[in-house]
Amino acid sequence: QKEVEQNSGPLSVPEGAIASLNCTYSDRGSQSFFWYRQYSGKSPELIMFIYSNGDKEDGRFTAQLNKASQYVSLLIRDSQPSDSATYLCAVNRNFNKFYFGSGTKLNVKP
Amino acid sequence: SAVISQKPSRDICQRGTSLTIQCQVDSQVTMMFWYRQQPGQSLTLIATANQGSEATYESGFVIDKFPISRPNLTFSTLTVSNMSPEDSSIYLCSVEEGDRSGYTFGSGTRLTVV
């Protein structure tokens, strides 16, 4: 079983819609959770991090964490074509030990 | 957030040769991390580089193949030795933000071995 699982996609949504990206992790001891965006040919850039159960909002982005279900999601409201990228979920299990999912490719259609 | 300069940005190398990748950070950091991202894949941690001590390698990666230097708190190098086409990948260095808010990545080195 992989440490972090994501649907590879592609996930296609129309411009202005809500994009929902999901991630599950295997280790209940995981402590912190991160979402990265990676444009083709570029390095990952951090979008959000979340440590506690519940929702965390930052602009158009909302991260949701449910530790009981070992599930973390990222919602992108009012999706724009510029949001089209691969989104990587990362889980910090032990101190400074990151595990990345394989990423979900998002296509936002104009 | 930290600013990381990584070079070279890309290179095409002959098999059997070695390439050294450099990462310079604009602030002092305790640990630097080296990742590999193979085509269409996610990131895999190669090793963690601490200043003043030997790097810690992840399973499947060895020092002879990927020697790492960490001479000070702002700089590190990763060498890919005796390269084969299977080493063709993107190599990224990374540092943790001081407030534990995540990791920042360098711009990456796209390596092609022919």
Side-chain angles (χ1 to χ4, degrees):
Chain A
Q1 184 182 10
K2 291 183 180 179
E3 294 280 351
V4 182
E5 301 245 24
Q6 293 181 257
N7 188 320
S8 62
L11 172 66
S12 292
V13 300
E15 184 174 357
I18 296 175
S20 178
L21 305 162
N22 304 315
C23 170
T24 58
Y25 58 95
S26 61
D27 192 327
R28 287 191 174 275
S30 300
Q31 299 161 342
S32 49
F33 309 86
F34 301 81
W35 283 99
Y36 284 84
R37 176 175 61 198
Q38 187 174 28
Y39 292 111
S40 181
K42 302 293 185 182
S43 60
E45 54 179 331
L46 180 67
I47 300 175
M48 291 193 69
F49 63 94
I50 186 167
Y51 296 148
S52 304
N53 275 329
D55 295 1
K56 180 181 179 182
E57 186 174 321
D58 184 0
R60 296 187 295 114
F61 299 96
T62 298
Q64 299 175 317
L65 174 61
N66 184 326
K67 289 188 176 181
S69 301
Q70 296 175 238
Y71 176 92
V72 58
S73 64
L74 178 70
L75 302 178
I76 306 175
R77 289 182 299 280
D78 188 24
S79 295
Q80 301 297 308
S82 59
D83 294 326
S84 297
T86 296
Y87 289 80
L88 302 170
C89 173
V91 173
N92 189 336
R93 190 176 73 184
N94 299 318
F95 182 68
N96 291 324
K97 193 98 169 176
F98 257 44
Y99 296 90
F100 282 85
S102 56
T104 298
K105 187 171 184 178
L106 173 66
N107 291 328
V108 180
K109 301 177 181 177
Chain B
S1 59
V3 176
I4 304 174
S5 301
Q6 184 175 341
K7 58 180 181 181
S9 59
R10 60 178 62 229
D11 207 341
I12 300 173
C13 301
Q14 297 290 324
R15 66 177 68 201
T17 63
S18 298
L19 175 71
T20 296
I21 302 167
Q22 299 180 3
C23 261
Q24 178 77 51
V25 189
D26 68 343
S27 58
Q28 293 185 339
V29 292
T30 304
M31 286 186 278
M32 294 179 71
F33 306 89
W34 288 97
Y35 285 86
R36 181 174 73 182
Q37 187 173 30
Q38 295 180 303
Q41 304 296 315
S42 190
L43 287 81
T44 302
L45 181 63
I46 298 172
T48 302
N50 297 320
Q51 193 268 336
S53 63
E54 281 203 1
T56 302
Y57 289 82
E58 297 300 305
S59 176
F61 298 96
V62 295
I63 188 171
D64 290 346
K65 176 68 175 176
F66 297 101
I68 287 172
S69 78
R70 185 79 201 277
N72 57 53
L73 291 173
T74 63
F75 187 78
S76 180
T77 68
L78 169 76
T79 299
V80 186
S81 303
N82 188 24
M83 289 183 285
S84 67
E86 292 71 35
D87 294 320
S88 297
S89 188
I90 298 173
Y91 292 85
L92 296 137
C93 64
S94 174
V95 301
E96 184 183 18
E97 294 298 335
D99 58 359
R100 306 295 301 276
S101 62
Y103 284 61
T104 298
F105 287 86
S107 53
T109 297
R110 184 180 294 271
L111 170 63
T112 302
V113 183
V114 297

